[in-house]
Amino acid sequence: MTWTRRAHRRRRPLVVLTLFLTAMGMLLSPSASSAATGDWWVPTSRPTPDSEINVTGEPFKGTNAAGEVRGFVDAHNHLFSNEAFGGRLICGKVFSASGIADALKDCPEHYPDGTLAIFDYITHGGDGKHDPVGYPTFKDWPAYDSMTHQANYYAWVERAWRGGQRVLVNDLVTNGMICSVYPFKARSCDEMTSIRLQAKLTYDLQAYIDAQYGGTGKGWFRIVTDSAQAREVVAQGKLAVVLGVETSEPFGCKQILDIAQCSKSDIDKGLDELYDLGVRSMFLCHKFDNALCGVRFDEHGLGTAINVGQFLSTGTFWQTEKCKGPQKDNPIGDAASKAEADLPAGTEVPEYDENAQCNVRGLTDLGEYALRGLMKRKMMVEIDHMSVKATGRVLDILEAESYPGVLSSHSWMDLNWTERVYSLGGFVAQYMHGSKEFSEEAARTDALRAKYDVGYGFGTDFNGIGDHPAPRGANTSNPVTYPFKSADGGSTIDRQTTGQRTFDFNTDGAAHVGMVPDWIEDIRLVGGQGVVDDLFRGAESYLGTWGASESHKAGVNLAKGATATASASESNPFTSYQPGRAVDGDRGTRWASDWSDDQWWKVDLGSTHTVKRVTLDWERAYGRSYRIDVSTDGSTWRTVWSTTSGDGGLDTAGFSAVPARYVRMQGVDRGTDWGYSLHEVGVYGG
């Protein structure tokens, strides 16, 4: 792999780094009393000075009585986004071989008073001014409402682990357009180049921590590439780190004036590369409509800024339509933004109808190809940031294939999708909202978690574009009282100190990732123990989704190539709409009926099979009311499934397993003035 010269100069080869840390450890080892304890969770050569952890007690290991792993899941974090967007949007590093003073310092253009912290005031308003000094004083940062300063220093991640977190999803993230318009940068804006660098640095961090514990494989930070490995890591009491990708134009798949800038071969090559890097989950679109799918909008001034970026990247602003169901995309931000100054002269952000909140763009053919590529590689798909139209199609495809690998990791999915995600076997996490909002949102889906017997996750989105829980105040009626016990009861957690600053959740809020245990304690006080209990089951549920994806086997379509008949077929002198077109394996062909309601299509499977699922991929002429009938002899029929609310697209009819040789779609009421038309029908057994 190729790295920029600047990045290469700053990163030492692993062997040199290991020797350096070993030597430093001999000189700067902890006191004899702590090293002599032999506690496996205490490093033998932590750099000095460094951040304190302020957690005592052994991290819990093993599984519960049911053989389940335990622990919290941060399903959405961005450890190395300081290396994204050109490398100067987020200031400070996750770690540095030169120590904490080098890692936790501001960007040079933020000196002397933050006047040039441009991204802060574009997204937040104000003038962006702040004290740029990080270590050791940290007067103004990290802070719960700062988007431009490092919140994932490795020792703070360590504190989150010590407080009960056992799975961390590190989403490799960037945005080429944001990089290109931001005036300060240290490297190329190519998205895949940044993704590769962030993946490399994640492995470098693992080596950096290993060196503190005596060698390869001994540290608490463990990158995992399959669910069995992750379970083993969690059972050892360590942190399982999963790599994901969240970027706007993966594999170069942007669209310009609706023309895709990538091909299927680009997608295959890109997915293979990401898989080889260790990536196991992925967003197909993020912030901007791309060649794969349309996005769910941002709101307020940030939404306006992102819409400007959308135009500069694609040549089109977001376009909306009235939503066809209960799910909605976010209202588009209509507040003014300084980003509008980047638009060409005479170009303005459109005004939007408040009654039309859905993106007109859904999942494209290339997007469907990429989705099936993820499934082929047993990877998980992230549906947050997808438009309602795209999400609906993705869920249709996953249901048709009974594929469980679907994630909603940080509250960018309409909650009305929640049961469909759970019914597939997917996993849901909520953004790191304040304790009251988090608890209230958790309560809205509590019955579904009970129904499907699943745990819950959170997505901190640290180093992402978002605020974090604000302090509730030292005078609140039920403040976090220090020290407090961890959720498992085995560790004691006190206020966190880094340099000259001590962080208190009551007055500082979630200033950095090390405050996750404090935030969870605040949730317990505000929302109750039940919310924390669901979160503590998060590791098991996340790994359950991942494991089910790995073990998924594509069903055999019993109908493919079989003999099909129909009540009628539309006549066309240039092409065929005969019944067999719906079982030829080619979505570009179709069966089409006459233009009347009472029409049927039937397939002969050749012999009797056990059948429990039928998929119907409708053309624009779909059935609003229809049923699925089965028969063993072709004359006696039994209805196994029906609907009166079909809406086209890809339908999956699931039912209890029955013997059948013949399967029939019996149309009752058309959804359009045309007839019934099916691209493909699939019939699947148990």
mmCIF file of all heavy atoms in Angstrom, residues 315-345:
data_model
loop_
_atom_site.group_PDB
_atom_site.id
_atom_site.type_symbol
_atom_site.label_atom_id
_atom_site.label_comp_id
_atom_site.label_asym_id
_atom_site.label_seq_id
_atom_site.Cartn_x
_atom_site.Cartn_y
_atom_site.Cartn_z
ATOM 1 N N GLY A 315 -23.402 17.992 -8.491
ATOM 2 C CA GLY A 315 -24.102 18.853 -9.439
ATOM 3 C C GLY A 315 -25.592 18.930 -9.196
ATOM 4 O O GLY A 315 -26.315 19.588 -9.958
ATOM 5 N N THR A 316 -26.074 18.268 -8.142
ATOM 6 C CA THR A 316 -27.504 18.277 -7.821
ATOM 7 C C THR A 316 -27.695 18.511 -6.332
ATOM 8 O O THR A 316 -26.928 17.999 -5.512
ATOM 9 C CB THR A 316 -28.176 16.943 -8.199
ATOM 10 O OG1 THR A 316 -27.536 15.876 -7.493
ATOM 11 C CG2 THR A 316 -28.083 16.689 -9.685
ATOM 12 N N PHE A 317 -28.719 19.285 -5.986
ATOM 13 C CA PHE A 317 -29.139 19.387 -4.594
ATOM 14 C C PHE A 317 -30.030 18.191 -4.265
ATOM 15 O O PHE A 317 -30.500 17.465 -5.153
ATOM 16 C CB PHE A 317 -29.918 20.684 -4.360
ATOM 17 C CG PHE A 317 -29.081 21.929 -4.428
ATOM 18 C CD1 PHE A 317 -29.156 22.778 -5.526
ATOM 19 C CD2 PHE A 317 -28.212 22.263 -3.391
ATOM 20 C CE1 PHE A 317 -28.390 23.936 -5.591
ATOM 21 C CE2 PHE A 317 -27.443 23.417 -3.439
ATOM 22 C CZ PHE A 317 -27.525 24.254 -4.540
ATOM 23 N N TRP A 318 -30.268 17.978 -2.975
ATOM 24 C CA TRP A 318 -31.225 16.954 -2.573
ATOM 25 C C TRP A 318 -32.582 17.249 -3.208
ATOM 26 O O TRP A 318 -32.997 18.410 -3.320
ATOM 27 C CB TRP A 318 -31.383 16.931 -1.051
ATOM 28 C CG TRP A 318 -30.201 16.367 -0.323
ATOM 29 C CD1 TRP A 318 -29.381 15.355 -0.723
ATOM 30 C CD2 TRP A 318 -29.719 16.780 0.958
ATOM 31 N NE1 TRP A 318 -28.419 15.100 0.222
ATOM 32 C CE2 TRP A 318 -28.607 15.961 1.270
ATOM 33 C CE3 TRP A 318 -30.118 17.739 1.877
ATOM 34 C CZ2 TRP A 318 -27.894 16.083 2.454
ATOM 35 C CZ3 TRP A 318 -29.416 17.865 3.065
ATOM 36 C CH2 TRP A 318 -28.312 17.055 3.345
ATOM 37 N N GLN A 319 -33.284 16.193 -3.580
ATOM 38 C CA GLN A 319 -34.618 16.305 -4.149
ATOM 39 C C GLN A 319 -35.586 15.488 -3.301
ATOM 40 O O GLN A 319 -35.254 14.375 -2.896
ATOM 41 C CB GLN A 319 -34.637 15.790 -5.591
ATOM 42 C CG GLN A 319 -33.680 16.526 -6.514
ATOM 43 C CD GLN A 319 -33.610 15.870 -7.880
ATOM 44 O OE1 GLN A 319 -34.633 15.670 -8.532
ATOM 45 N NE2 GLN A 319 -32.402 15.533 -8.318
ATOM 46 N N THR A 320 -36.777 16.036 -3.067
ATOM 47 C CA THR A 320 -37.711 15.384 -2.154
ATOM 48 C C THR A 320 -39.030 15.037 -2.834
ATOM 49 O O THR A 320 -39.365 15.573 -3.891
ATOM 50 C CB THR A 320 -38.011 16.280 -0.940
ATOM 51 O OG1 THR A 320 -38.717 17.452 -1.375
ATOM 52 C CG2 THR A 320 -36.742 16.683 -0.223
ATOM 53 N N GLU A 321 -39.760 14.123 -2.180
ATOM 54 C CA GLU A 321 -41.098 13.752 -2.595
ATOM 55 C C GLU A 321 -41.903 13.407 -1.352
ATOM 56 O O GLU A 321 -41.333 13.229 -0.265
ATOM 57 C CB GLU A 321 -41.065 12.553 -3.543
ATOM 58 C CG GLU A 321 -40.508 11.293 -2.912
ATOM 59 C CD GLU A 321 -40.383 10.136 -3.884
ATOM 60 O OE1 GLU A 321 -40.602 10.355 -5.093
ATOM 61 O OE2 GLU A 321 -40.059 9.015 -3.440
ATOM 62 N N LYS A 322 -43.219 13.314 -1.492
ATOM 63 C CA LYS A 322 -44.043 12.901 -0.362
ATOM 64 C C LYS A 322 -43.759 11.449 -0.021
ATOM 65 O O LYS A 322 -43.604 10.613 -0.906
ATOM 66 C CB LYS A 322 -45.525 13.099 -0.684
ATOM 67 C CG LYS A 322 -45.938 14.567 -0.747
ATOM 68 C CD LYS A 322 -47.448 14.718 -0.915
ATOM 69 C CE LYS A 322 -47.839 16.198 -0.897
ATOM 70 N NZ LYS A 322 -49.302 16.387 -1.047
ATOM 71 N N CYS A 323 -43.686 11.172 1.268
ATOM 72 C CA CYS A 323 -43.394 9.817 1.717
ATOM 73 C C CYS A 323 -44.605 8.925 1.465
ATOM 74 O O CYS A 323 -45.749 9.347 1.610
ATOM 75 C CB CYS A 323 -43.027 9.815 3.198
ATOM 76 S SG CYS A 323 -41.596 10.855 3.597
ATOM 77 N N LYS A 324 -44.336 7.665 1.116
ATOM 78 C CA LYS A 324 -45.401 6.732 0.782
ATOM 79 C C LYS A 324 -45.817 5.855 1.959
ATOM 80 O O LYS A 324 -46.743 5.067 1.855
ATOM 81 C CB LYS A 324 -44.966 5.869 -0.394
ATOM 82 C CG LYS A 324 -44.735 6.654 -1.681
ATOM 83 C CD LYS A 324 -44.275 5.764 -2.812
ATOM 84 C CE LYS A 324 -44.211 6.530 -4.131
ATOM 85 N NZ LYS A 324 -43.274 7.658 -4.099
ATOM 86 N N GLY A 325 -45.131 5.962 3.066
ATOM 87 C CA GLY A 325 -45.452 5.157 4.239
ATOM 88 C C GLY A 325 -45.185 5.951 5.500
ATOM 89 O O GLY A 325 -44.936 7.164 5.455
ATOM 90 N N PRO A 326 -45.176 5.304 6.664
ATOM 91 C CA PRO A 326 -44.963 6.027 7.920
ATOM 92 C C PRO A 326 -43.524 6.479 8.116
ATOM 93 O O PRO A 326 -43.271 7.398 8.896
ATOM 94 C CB PRO A 326 -45.364 4.988 8.987
ATOM 95 C CG PRO A 326 -45.153 3.660 8.321
ATOM 96 C CD PRO A 326 -45.502 3.874 6.882
ATOM 97 N N GLN A 327 -42.580 5.850 7.424
ATOM 98 C CA GLN A 327 -41.181 6.241 7.571
ATOM 99 C C GLN A 327 -40.915 7.548 6.822
ATOM 100 O O GLN A 327 -41.478 7.795 5.753
ATOM 101 C CB GLN A 327 -40.246 5.144 7.042
ATOM 102 C CG GLN A 327 -40.299 3.850 7.807
ATOM 103 C CD GLN A 327 -41.425 2.940 7.360
ATOM 104 O OE1 GLN A 327 -42.089 3.206 6.363
ATOM 105 N NE2 GLN A 327 -41.645 1.855 8.091
ATOM 106 N N LYS A 328 -40.039 8.367 7.410
ATOM 107 C CA LYS A 328 -39.702 9.649 6.810
ATOM 108 C C LYS A 328 -38.202 9.887 6.897
ATOM 109 O O LYS A 328 -37.543 9.439 7.821
ATOM 110 C CB LYS A 328 -40.438 10.794 7.523
ATOM 111 C CG LYS A 328 -41.956 10.776 7.364
ATOM 112 C CD LYS A 328 -42.593 11.921 8.127
ATOM 113 C CE LYS A 328 -44.088 12.015 7.841
ATOM 114 N NZ LYS A 328 -44.802 10.765 8.180
ATOM 115 N N ASP A 329 -37.691 10.603 5.911
ATOM 116 C CA ASP A 329 -36.337 11.128 6.029
ATOM 117 C C ASP A 329 -36.409 12.397 6.877
ATOM 118 O O ASP A 329 -37.478 12.966 7.057
ATOM 119 C CB ASP A 329 -35.752 11.418 4.648
ATOM 120 C CG ASP A 329 -35.499 10.134 3.856
ATOM 121 O OD1 ASP A 329 -35.132 9.128 4.488
ATOM 122 O OD2 ASP A 329 -35.686 10.143 2.625
ATOM 123 N N ASN A 330 -35.273 12.837 7.395
ATOM 124 C CA ASN A 330 -35.279 14.042 8.218
ATOM 125 C C ASN A 330 -35.709 15.258 7.406
ATOM 126 O O ASN A 330 -35.460 15.325 6.196
ATOM 127 C CB ASN A 330 -33.877 14.307 8.786
ATOM 128 C CG ASN A 330 -33.453 13.254 9.779
ATOM 129 O OD1 ASN A 330 -34.258 12.787 10.567
ATOM 130 N ND2 ASN A 330 -32.186 12.880 9.739
ATOM 131 N N PRO A 331 -36.345 16.257 8.049
ATOM 132 C CA PRO A 331 -36.574 17.526 7.344
ATOM 133 C C PRO A 331 -35.235 18.124 6.925
ATOM 134 O O PRO A 331 -34.273 18.100 7.690
ATOM 135 C CB PRO A 331 -37.261 18.397 8.398
ATOM 136 C CG PRO A 331 -37.731 17.459 9.459
ATOM 137 C CD PRO A 331 -36.793 16.301 9.450
ATOM 138 N N ILE A 332 -35.167 18.629 5.716
ATOM 139 C CA ILE A 332 -33.917 19.223 5.248
ATOM 140 C C ILE A 332 -33.659 20.522 5.997
ATOM 141 O O ILE A 332 -34.572 21.326 6.205
ATOM 142 C CB ILE A 332 -33.962 19.488 3.738
ATOM 143 C CG1 ILE A 332 -33.989 18.150 2.987
ATOM 144 C CG2 ILE A 332 -32.757 20.300 3.282
ATOM 145 C CD1 ILE A 332 -34.041 18.305 1.493
ATOM 146 N N GLY A 333 -32.413 20.716 6.393
ATOM 147 C CA GLY A 333 -32.067 21.952 7.077
ATOM 148 C C GLY A 333 -32.367 23.161 6.207
ATOM 149 O O GLY A 333 -32.021 23.186 5.028
ATOM 150 N N ASP A 334 -33.039 24.155 6.795
ATOM 151 C CA ASP A 334 -33.351 25.369 6.039
ATOM 152 C C ASP A 334 -32.716 26.604 6.660
ATOM 153 O O ASP A 334 -32.986 27.724 6.245
ATOM 154 C CB ASP A 334 -34.865 25.556 5.921
ATOM 155 C CG ASP A 334 -35.562 25.602 7.284
ATOM 156 O OD1 ASP A 334 -34.858 25.555 8.307
ATOM 157 O OD2 ASP A 334 -36.804 25.691 7.308
ATOM 158 N N ALA A 335 -31.863 26.390 7.668
ATOM 159 C CA ALA A 335 -31.172 27.522 8.286
ATOM 160 C C ALA A 335 -29.997 27.944 7.406
ATOM 161 O O ALA A 335 -29.409 27.131 6.690
ATOM 162 C CB ALA A 335 -30.678 27.136 9.674
ATOM 163 N N ALA A 336 -29.667 29.216 7.460
ATOM 164 C CA ALA A 336 -28.545 29.719 6.670
ATOM 165 C C ALA A 336 -27.238 29.111 7.157
ATOM 166 O O ALA A 336 -27.088 28.745 8.323
ATOM 167 C CB ALA A 336 -28.490 31.237 6.758
ATOM 168 N N SER A 337 -26.299 28.972 6.248
ATOM 169 C CA SER A 337 -24.978 28.442 6.590
ATOM 170 C C SER A 337 -23.918 29.214 5.822
ATOM 171 O O SER A 337 -24.123 29.586 4.653
ATOM 172 C CB SER A 337 -24.885 26.952 6.234
ATOM 173 O OG SER A 337 -23.549 26.497 6.314
ATOM 174 N N LYS A 338 -22.787 29.444 6.470
ATOM 175 C CA LYS A 338 -21.693 30.131 5.795
ATOM 176 C C LYS A 338 -21.143 29.315 4.637
ATOM 177 O O LYS A 338 -20.448 29.846 3.765
ATOM 178 C CB LYS A 338 -20.594 30.461 6.801
ATOM 179 C CG LYS A 338 -21.027 31.494 7.839
ATOM 180 C CD LYS A 338 -19.894 31.883 8.784
ATOM 181 C CE LYS A 338 -20.374 32.930 9.782
ATOM 182 N NZ LYS A 338 -19.308 33.358 10.725
ATOM 183 N N ALA A 339 -21.461 28.005 4.616
ATOM 184 C CA ALA A 339 -21.022 27.165 3.507
ATOM 185 C C ALA A 339 -21.635 27.607 2.184
ATOM 186 O O ALA A 339 -21.101 27.302 1.111
ATOM 187 C CB ALA A 339 -21.389 25.705 3.787
ATOM 188 N N GLU A 340 -22.771 28.334 2.228
ATOM 189 C CA GLU A 340 -23.425 28.778 0.996
ATOM 190 C C GLU A 340 -22.530 29.705 0.180
ATOM 191 O O GLU A 340 -22.727 29.862 -1.032
ATOM 192 C CB GLU A 340 -24.744 29.466 1.326
ATOM 193 C CG GLU A 340 -25.790 28.529 1.905
ATOM 194 C CD GLU A 340 -27.045 29.244 2.375
ATOM 195 O OE1 GLU A 340 -27.966 29.419 1.546
ATOM 196 O OE2 GLU A 340 -27.092 29.632 3.561
ATOM 197 N N ALA A 341 -21.537 30.295 0.834
ATOM 198 C CA ALA A 341 -20.608 31.164 0.113
ATOM 199 C C ALA A 341 -19.776 30.393 -0.901
ATOM 200 O O ALA A 341 -19.202 30.979 -1.827
ATOM 201 C CB ALA A 341 -19.687 31.880 1.109
ATOM 202 N N ASP A 342 -19.707 29.066 -0.757
ATOM 203 C CA ASP A 342 -18.926 28.245 -1.683
ATOM 204 C C ASP A 342 -19.676 27.926 -2.970
ATOM 205 O O ASP A 342 -19.104 27.365 -3.904
ATOM 206 C CB ASP A 342 -18.518 26.926 -1.007
ATOM 207 C CG ASP A 342 -17.519 27.130 0.117
ATOM 208 O OD1 ASP A 342 -16.640 27.997 -0.030
ATOM 209 O OD2 ASP A 342 -17.619 26.425 1.137
ATOM 210 N N LEU A 343 -20.982 28.250 -3.034
ATOM 211 C CA LEU A 343 -21.762 27.967 -4.232
ATOM 212 C C LEU A 343 -21.385 28.922 -5.361
ATOM 213 O O LEU A 343 -20.998 30.074 -5.115
ATOM 214 C CB LEU A 343 -23.252 28.098 -3.926
ATOM 215 C CG LEU A 343 -23.873 27.017 -3.041
ATOM 216 C CD1 LEU A 343 -25.300 27.412 -2.653
ATOM 217 C CD2 LEU A 343 -23.878 25.673 -3.749
ATOM 218 N N PRO A 344 -21.506 28.461 -6.606
ATOM 219 C CA PRO A 344 -21.249 29.372 -7.735
ATOM 220 C C PRO A 344 -22.204 30.560 -7.699
ATOM 221 O O PRO A 344 -23.334 30.466 -7.196
ATOM 222 C CB PRO A 344 -21.520 28.482 -8.962
ATOM 223 C CG PRO A 344 -21.397 27.077 -8.475
ATOM 224 C CD PRO A 344 -21.839 27.096 -7.041
ATOM 225 N N ALA A 345 -21.767 31.664 -8.240
ATOM 226 C CA ALA A 345 -22.593 32.871 -8.274
ATOM 227 C C ALA A 345 -23.935 32.574 -8.948
ATOM 228 O O ALA A 345 -23.996 31.919 -9.993
ATOM 229 C CB ALA A 345 -21.861 33.981 -9.027
#
